[in-house]
Amino acid sequence: MTRRKLREEIFKALFAVDFFPTDDFDGQIERYISGISEEVYPEDLEYIERKCGDIAAKISEIDSAVDDVAEKWSTTRMGKVELTVIRLACYEMKYDEEIPQSVAINEGVELAKKYGPDGAGAFVNGVLAKLV
């Protein structure tokens, strides 16, 4: 699976679990993984699950950083698509040494354009640019 496709699956998993209580995060990720397990190689499933867990462990730090730079916005007011994309990209920018910041931003904008409403790409780009 390409890095882009892996990122998209991570986005989908994080987006889905955001609708459930945080104390069931691991269970929700496992359910998502089991739903795609027939279509994805085991090593890709492990990568998706590990990265989702890593992001979940940093969500409060990520949200705090986003709240500090998102003028007139807070993570509690953002759309779920935009917030999920920002969390994923912010994690990649700040904690994933394998991914250049410019790639994390570009991929985040592309996900926002694909899954978000009109203007989501520009909004995500603006927030992520302030995190650099």
Side-chain angles (χ1 to χ4, degrees):
M1 183 176 285
T2 66
R3 183 74 67 144
R4 177 172 276 188
K5 185 65 178 157
L6 284 169
R7 184 177 288 106
E8 189 170 347
E9 291 299 332
I10 292 164
F11 162 77
K12 289 177 186 178
L14 292 172
F15 179 81
V17 301
D18 203 29
F19 289 92
F20 296 93
T22 55
D23 60 342
D24 190 30
F25 184 87
D26 292 337
Q28 292 301 322
I29 291 295
E30 287 175 19
R31 281 188 271 294
Y32 181 82
I33 295 291
S34 69
I36 63 169
S37 62
E38 293 180 14
E39 307 162 19
V40 181
Y41 291 115
E43 60 270 14
D44 291 339
L45 291 173
E46 291 172 16
Y47 178 82
I48 293 166
E49 189 169 13
R50 183 178 67 254
K51 193 145 180 189
C52 285
D54 292 348
I55 293 168
K58 301 281 188 193
I59 281 184
S60 62
E61 293 173 43
I62 291 168
D63 285 0
S64 179
V66 171
D67 285 338
D68 288 345
V69 300
E71 296 174 19
K72 300 180 184 176
W73 283 93
S74 70
T75 52
T76 58
R77 289 188 52 228
M78 291 179 188
K80 291 209 183 282
V81 169
E82 295 91 328
L83 179 57
T84 304
V85 170
I86 290 169
R87 284 173 171 167
L88 172 56
C90 182
Y91 174 84
E92 290 181 340
M93 292 166 60
K94 293 188 172 290
Y95 304 105
D96 193 331
E97 296 175 4
E98 293 179 17
I99 300 172
Q101 287 184 340
S102 60
V103 171
I105 292 170
N106 183 60
E107 293 293 323
V109 169
E110 292 304 315
L111 280 171
K113 287 179 182 178
K114 183 173 182 177
Y115 291 101
D118 289 343
F123 177 76
V124 166
N125 187 53
V127 173
L128 294 177
K130 292 178 181 180
L131 288 168
V132 176

